[in-house]
Amino acid sequence: MTTEEQLAVPLLEAQDLAVKYPNGELALHDMTFSIDAPSFTAIIGPNGSGKSTLIKTILGLMKPVHGFVRVLGHDSVKDSKTIQRLIRYVPQRDHIELTVPMRVKDIVLMGRLMKKPPPRFVSGKDREVGKSALKRVDMIDLWDRPFPELSGGQRQRVLVARALAGEGQILVLDEPLAGTDAESQKMIVEALGEYQRDFDVSIIMVTHDLNPIHVFVKHVLLLRNTLVGIGTPCDVMDPELIKRVYGPAAEVVEYAGHRYCITPDSGVDRHD
Amino acid sequence: MIDLLQLIFGTPFIVRALIAAILIAMIASTSGTFLVFRGLSFMASGVAHAALGGAALGFFLQETGFFPWFDPVLGAVLFAVLVAVMTGYAGESGIAQKMEVAVGVSFALSMSLAVFLMYYIPSDKVLVLWGYLVGDILLLTNQDVVLLVITTTLVVAVILMLNKEFVYVSVDYEGAIAHGMNARAYHYVMLVVSAIAIALATKAVGAILVYAILVAPAAASNELVKSVTGVMVAVFSIALFAQVIGIMISFAIAVSPSAIAGLIAAFSYVVALQVRRIRERARDQKLFEADKEETIPATFEGVVVPDDHSGHNH
Ligand SMILES: Nc1ncnc2c1ncn2[C@@H]1O[C@H](COP(=O)(O)OP(=O)(O)OP(=O)(O)O)[C@@H](O)[C@H]1O
Ligand SMILES: [Mg+2]
């Protein structure tokens, strides 16, 4: 494949995608879309709308019952090994088990060591990259601290650093902003945005709130167990669309020439 | 002193007991530690009792002449591995709760089987079977010790080789798979290897002690020690200490060494909880004082209006 052809391959490409849980819950259905690479993509939607499910399907952790999704041209089921090399993944924070006495450095190095073949020894370079990743989220002072003893927001920043320290063209983060204050959000979002620009990677992240990220975000997927909207952050700021996803309580208000989007999830967001 | 050492090392059953104590401490520091990390401490108990059921079946099959080659130890290991695999299957989704149920059910099943079969086993064999429940570290045979050496070597080798894998699978099961690790295989290897070790340790020192020694020191260390290696070393020390003290006291007064060892191990957890509470209180106190110093001058500088992040311009 030449570079040009590679550029033409979409980051994500789904067709008639449907995903079911073993208990029969149809979490996603009739999803057809395509997103060009490189991208900073946000997946938004209310609780239970299938955001995590879509991510798990992309990563090959769940198999579609219908249709397919491709990541840079690789089928999520058939080419899962290739996809695993391309991605770095941070699950929702509550999926990280805190009973194991990991230090901050162990968590960050994990981002690199998981992809190494056994015996997964730590090299000088691993340490260096890990430290610079922690610097990006301003957590370097906590290098030796026990991870379970950090605050929720600090843990989230360390987990983002784990993704930044890894290797692979696509960063996938499930709700990296959950439970963080305004300052942490700014830090995480800027770290991700700058990293995406500097290293020419793609970022796919689940979030409940477009506000802090829409400056960096290129594409937005709006979910409610199927694809309800796709486009730039401005495109999805459509009153009809927002109401359809978040219910009648959600509003898009125009004031002084700007558009504000008010949803139960996101507070206020202003658009021109 | 020299005399005492000569007496100890000249007495085969004491030497065997001490070797077994070291081996079981090694099993605890590897298997026990990782089971506690994985939130699976109850599996140690389920597997140990399954070993009892398996041994009962072994005695029964031998005595009735159905399968004279079916050694009780073989039964114990088979049942233990079966329970481990069932637990593993229930937990493939990564949810510990389901594994708990699987362990509970197999616990009930194997204990019922053991009690049921006891009526059909000659009474001298029933005594041996009781050993699987409340074994005595002073009554080990050479064969017991050899089996224990082999299984300890296996467990320690596997866990030293795969410790990063086991840690990652315990910390972030989904993430491990997503990054290309065969989390499922590691999950099963860990359970099966632990099960074999627990089964043979049960034969040596009894289900109750195995449970106490495998779980309590690991839980205690995990409260206090902040690194994986540190926890493993601490578990080894506590487990060995508990057993050696148990053996020593059993010479002074008529008491089962397992009972003393179990008590000390359980007590270590209580102590760890207390130490942790005291430490936390001390830390909170320090934070509180630091807070006071910082906030008082701040009030004189006036209220800082926080940056309003609720609106962005495009
Ligand atoms: N393990 C599971 N077993 C069965 N059903 C599930 C499971 N996980 C999720 N579901 C169902 O699938 C649907 C989508 O869930 P998903 O976790 O993808 O939502 P989400 O958009 O990530 O929600 P949240 O914002 O709460 O994280 C929900 O209806 C949920 O009940
Ligand atoms: Mg989710």
Side-chain angles (χ1 to χ4, degrees), chain A residues 48 50-53 92 174-175 206 208:
Chain A
K51 304 181 295 295
S52 299
T53 308
Q92 263 175 277
D174 200 342
E175 300 202 21
V206 172
H208 278 283

Side-chain angles (χ1 to χ4, degrees), chain A residues 121-132:
Chain A
F121 288 134
V122 182
S123 70
K125 190 185 170 207
D126 293 333
R127 229 177 280 274
E128 209 176 285
V129 177
K131 282 187 176 158
S132 76

Side-chain angles (χ1 to χ4, degrees), chain B residues 199-233:
Chain B
L200 289 167
T202 302
K203 158 122 181 55
V205 296
I208 293 167
L209 182 65
V210 166
Y211 187 52
I213 292 285
L214 246 68
V215 174
S221 310
N222 209 18
E223 292 291 328
L224 298 180
V225 185
K226 306 296 178 203
S227 79
V228 174
T229 325
V231 170
M232 291 172 79
V233 172

Side-chain angles (χ1 to χ4, degrees), chain B residues 177-195:
Chain B
I177 302 176
H179 288 90
M181 288 173 64
N182 196 344
R184 221 166 130 225
Y186 295 128
H187 171 72
Y188 278 109
V189 167
M190 185 175 124
L191 294 180
V192 169
V193 166
S194 296

Side-chain angles (χ1 to χ4, degrees), chain B residues 272-286:
Chain B
L273 283 185
Q274 284 307 319
V275 172
R276 191 192 165 119
R277 193 169 301 162
I278 292 166
R279 262 196 208 170
E280 265 167 15
R281 209 171 292 154
R283 202 183 56 189
D284 288 351
Q285 190 70 32
K286 249 198 325 213

